[in-house]
Structures are given as structure tokens and as C-alpha cells.
Amino acid sequence: GAVVSQHPSRVICKSGTSVKIECRSLDFQATTMFWYRQFPKQSLMLMATSNEGSKATYEQGVEKDKFLINHASLTLSTLTVTSAHPEDSSFYICSVGPQETQYFGPGTRLLVL
Amino acid sequence: EDKVVQSPLSLVVHEGDTVTLNCSYEVTNFRSLLWYKQEKKAPTFLFMLTSSGIEKKSGRLSSILDKKELSSILNITATQTGDSAIYLCAVGIKAAGNKLTFGGGTRVLVKP
């Protein structure tokens, strides 16, 4: 399967700051990547589909101005949480897949104080 | 609205027991059903099922899809403490790219 990395693995920030999370596909050129959020003891919630060279597609209820996605190359997508608030604290995971089998990055745990 | 429901929500078993997890779905244009195991970090892929009635097996884990009943089961035999995890079911839909819709997961705890 595809090998996916995320950076950072953990970040703590102050309320009002912006945080950038990187997702890299190490052995597969991905025209599409997916960003998920997972709250404690809950399942994965798809936030958006990151499309290489074009705008991301956001799921209903996800603010596109709050969660900025940039997919500038076939191996890198970034998610920026702008003006983070404590309620944005969560586990953010990206996924990549050659077809419908998605392979996940190790995730980024964000804590906003 | 597409829906994926897993049951039970959680269960506790002892080593050596057999576990059966359920996943049911209501989606338009079903393409595939996938099972993942999540321990502390990101989910790891277990199985992808597209055809009804064909069992997929990997060691002590096996899974089968029933398209008539719109459901799938994941079996774990001779459970070990290392099987303790959240098991996630996800459904892929035609014409939705590679997007997956996840169920709520089943939390399995295997006690020694």
C-alpha cells in the first residue's frame, strides 16, 4: 500500500494562531488526498478532498476559510487551521489511495489552549 | 444521505474467544466496503470487499460481504490482547472518487 507521512505528529498552540499540517505521499503520486478529523472515542469524519492543482472540495458543515487546503504537488497536501480555537483540538488524519483503498498517515494531534 | 452503521459499539472478550463485528450500510451506488483497524494512531487497512459471498481471510481475521442484506461481518478467531483496537468499516461509492464514508467503529478489548 501507499506510504503516507504527516508532520507534525503533535502540536500545541495558543488560541488565535494558525497551524499548518503537512501530508506527504512518499511512494505514490496522488492527485487526490483526503483530510479527516477524529474526536476522542468517535469515528473519522471526512473534512475535505484535496485536489492537486485545483480547489479542495469541502464536506457540508466544514468552513473552507477556517480549514485551508493546498495541494501544490502530487506528493504534498497541507491543511492550515486558521485562527485556531480550543474546539478545533482534535486528531487530524490524511489519506491517500491508488484506488478506493485508502492508506492513512500517522495523524496529527492538535491541542489549542 | 449515505449511512454506515457498526455494531456493537464496544465489546470485551477474553483471549481465545471469537469476535464477530457487524457493519450495515445504506448508500446509493455502492462500490466497495473496507475494514480498518485503529490502535493508537491512524487506521491500518485490513480488507476491501466488492463481491457478495466471497470471504477474504488474513490469518485469524476474515470478512464477508452480503450485498442483499447490505452488510458485512468481520470475524476474529482465537483473539489475542493485540487485537484490542477500534475496528472501522467504510463504504466507497461510485462516482464519488475514492471518498469513503466511515461507520462509528466498534471498540474491542481483549483481556488476558
Side-chain angles (χ1 to χ4, degrees):
Chain A
V3 180
V4 185
S5 70
Q6 272 184 249
H7 177 79
S9 58
R10 186 179 296 209
V11 57
I12 300 173
C13 70
K14 289 183 180 178
S15 192
T17 59
S18 294
V19 174
K20 183 188 280 189
I21 303 169
E22 291 185 351
C23 175
R24 291 185 186 274
S25 175
L26 300 181
D27 60 351
F28 172 70
Q29 294 194 316
T31 54
T32 305
M33 294 184 180
F34 297 94
W35 286 98
Y36 295 84
R37 182 166 55 181
Q38 186 177 35
F39 292 108
K41 298 194 177 179
Q42 292 188 26
S43 189
L44 296 170
M45 187 193 83
L46 179 65
M47 298 175 68
T49 303
S50 173
N51 303 301
E52 190 265 334
S54 65
K55 289 183 183 178
T57 309
Y58 289 84
E59 295 300 301
Q60 198 171 9
V62 178
E63 298 173 60
K64 61 180 181 184
D65 296 328
K66 169 84 173 165
F67 299 100
L68 299 178
I69 291 173
N70 186 346
H71 193 149
S73 77
L74 290 171
T75 57
L76 173 64
S77 174
T78 59
L79 169 68
T80 301
V81 183
T82 61
S83 187
H85 290 286
E87 57 265 30
D88 298 323
S89 299
S90 188
F91 191 51
Y92 293 86
I93 314 176
C94 68
S95 74
V96 167
Q99 292 174 355
E100 59 258 50
T101 304
Q102 291 292 305
Y103 295 92
F104 289 85
T108 296
R109 195 163 297 281
L110 171 64
L111 177 61
V112 185
L113 301 176
Chain B
E1 188 186 329
D2 297 325
K3 203 164 37 168
V4 180
V5 177
Q6 291 184 246
S7 64
L9 284 179
S10 65
L11 71 163
V12 180
V13 298
H14 287 94
E15 273 191 317
D17 288 350
T18 293
V19 158
T20 298
L21 309 181
N22 297 285
C23 175
S24 62
Y25 58 91
E26 286 179 34
V27 302
T28 50
N29 293 317
F30 172 89
R31 181 174 60 187
S32 57
L33 185 145
L34 294 88
W35 284 96
Y36 288 87
K37 176 184 181 183
Q38 185 177 25
E39 296 174 85
K40 290 186 180 175
K41 289 198 171 180
T44 53
F45 173 75
L46 294 176
F47 299 111
M48 184 175 77
L49 306 159
T50 54
S51 300
S52 222
I54 299 173
E55 185 183 53
K56 292 219 172 175
K57 214 168 156 59
S58 175
R60 296 176 293 102
L61 276 67
S62 63
S63 183
I64 196 161
L65 175 66
D66 186 337
K67 282 185 175 179
K68 202 172 172 185
E69 296 296 323
L70 306 182
S71 66
S72 173
I73 59 170
L74 175 69
N75 276 320
I76 310 173
T77 58
T79 52
Q80 301 170 358
T81 55
D83 295 326
S84 297
I86 298 172
Y87 290 85
L88 296 166
C89 170
V91 170
I93 297 161
K94 290 177 188 173
N98 294 336
K99 192 164 81 167
L100 297 175
T101 299
F102 278 84
T106 295
R107 186 178 292 269
V108 175
L109 176 61
V110 181
K111 290 189 171 180

